[in-house]
Amino acid sequence: MTVIRVCDITLAAAGLIIGFPCFILLCGLSWSITGSPILVQERVGRNLKLFSLFKFRTMPVDVPTVPTHQLNPESLVLSPIAAMMRSLKLDELPQLLNVLLGDMSMVGPRPALPIQNDVISAREKLGVLNHRPGITGEAQILGIDMSTPEKLAKADASMMNNLTVKAYFDYIMRTFRIFGRGGRISHKPIKK
């Protein structure tokens, strides 16, 4: 077991234990706005192995499973609570369980959907898929998303090829500084 894997297990376990009350609150909030608090999506992991990724649901249940940048923002309506959860990245907290299970790392390339062939292909060419996907990493900090597969794969490969324990903790600390940016979804008041 590598030092980084030990760090993953320690941080994920601590986060799940300490954050348990927060998880209950967020689960309740997510349930109140979507009726289905946990989103389980199939994602591509290390060596192309598929795994189930967990998130708090912030979008309506009937939203199609496609990359966020392919969704039509005008067709989505998020409540203020959902907008806040996405903006602060709170919807991604259940992925600590993915880290504990070994499907993900705290730091690594964001896992793609199986339908994102362009992202998968670009990453395969650069050996990115030899590593565990992560909750955060270079691309997230720099604002590079999956709409630019080649640029994303290069950032992922550079990060993983130079990942040390020091860099691992640096990525985690830098991630806290980008809270509030959110994603590409337009946050609008919910319509009644």
Side-chain angles (χ1 to χ4, degrees), residues 89 110 136-148 151-152 155 174 178 181-184:
K89 309 290 188 185
R110 287 297 295 160
T136 191
E138 183 76 12
Q140 288 68 48
I141 292 165
L142 296 179
I144 304 168
D145 65 22
M146 294 191 182
S147 64
T148 54
K151 185 177 180 181
L152 176 69
R174 287 166 64 194
I178 65 169
R181 283 188 197 172
R184 286 174 164 248

Side-chain angles (χ1 to χ4, degrees), residues 125-162:
K125 290 175 186 174
L126 297 179
V128 173
L129 297 177
N130 297 333
H131 307 278
R132 279 189 181 93
I135 293 178
T136 191
E138 183 76 12
Q140 288 68 48
I141 292 165
L142 296 179
I144 304 168
D145 65 22
M146 294 191 182
S147 64
T148 54
E150 310 294 337
K151 185 177 180 181
L152 176 69
K154 286 178 183 176
D156 290 337
S158 175
M159 173 182 65
M160 297 314 296
N161 290 336
N162 297 288

